[in-house]
Amino acid sequence: MFRDYKYLHATDSLKYASLTAMVTKEVVEGTSKKTNSCARAIIWLARSVNFSIHLLEGLVKNSESSLQEMVEEAYKSTLKPFYGWISSAAYKVALRLIPERDIFIQLLMGSCQDPGYFGEDVMVLVSIVQPLLEEINAIFVGVPHYADTHILNETVTALH
């Protein structure tokens, strides 16, 4: 998928200088909703990153909640609206494998970092990633075929 976008850019770097132009090309060709389309891959990547950001923010803002509770909350507000029954079943299995909150944070921070800086590090990450998610969302809202596709909105019904 990425290879296709890279190829497009190499063949006509002016015409395909933006992600919007490349997604629009797939829409015009009628390939944007195919399983292996780049547009679809970008949407799912953005949704996954959005889930991760919600999870990390939840861990910072709700220090008394368990990791499992935060995963459930992030899942419900970001991925659940787009998951079919197979993905939902896989999520339920994965939910049983979640470590304790402190172990998870220590794994994220690594052995060389103080877990006390976790909240600060998360907020830096959010400040970097959130504008990128908003930009991806704007790209899809600006493409006629995806006008109702809001990656950052919990009420979206795209690609299903």
Side-chain angles (χ1 to χ4, degrees), residues 85-119:
W85 70 271
I86 293 174
S87 297
S88 293
Y91 160 77
K92 289 175 185 173
V93 171
L95 199 57
R96 296 182 198 157
L97 304 173
I98 293 176
E100 293 296 320
R101 175 191 180 99
D102 293 340
I103 293 170
F104 180 72
I105 291 173
Q106 186 61 50
L107 288 169
L108 288 176
M109 295 300 293
S111 59
C112 299
Q113 295 183 357
D114 180 357
Y117 291 111
F118 178 71

Side-chain angles (χ1 to χ4, degrees), residues 1 31-38 40-41:
M1 289 176 235
T31 60
S32 65
K33 289 198 173 193
K34 289 189 174 183
T35 304
N36 64 344
S37 76
C38 294
R40 193 172 169 120

Side-chain angles (χ1 to χ4, degrees), residues 33 140-141 143-151 155-159:
K33 289 198 173 193
F140 282 94
V141 170
V143 175
H145 188 68
Y146 285 98
D148 64 341
T149 304
H150 303 280
I151 296 164
T155 61
V156 179
T157 55
L159 297 178

Side-chain angles (χ1 to χ4, degrees), residues 107-139:
L107 288 169
L108 288 176
M109 295 300 293
S111 59
C112 299
Q113 295 183 357
D114 180 357
Y117 291 111
F118 178 71
E120 190 177 314
D121 289 352
V122 165
M123 298 323 287
V124 169
L125 178 65
V126 169
S127 72
I128 294 167
V129 173
Q130 192 65 33
L132 297 174
L133 288 173
E134 290 168 5
E135 188 173 337
I136 291 170
N137 192 54
I139 287 169

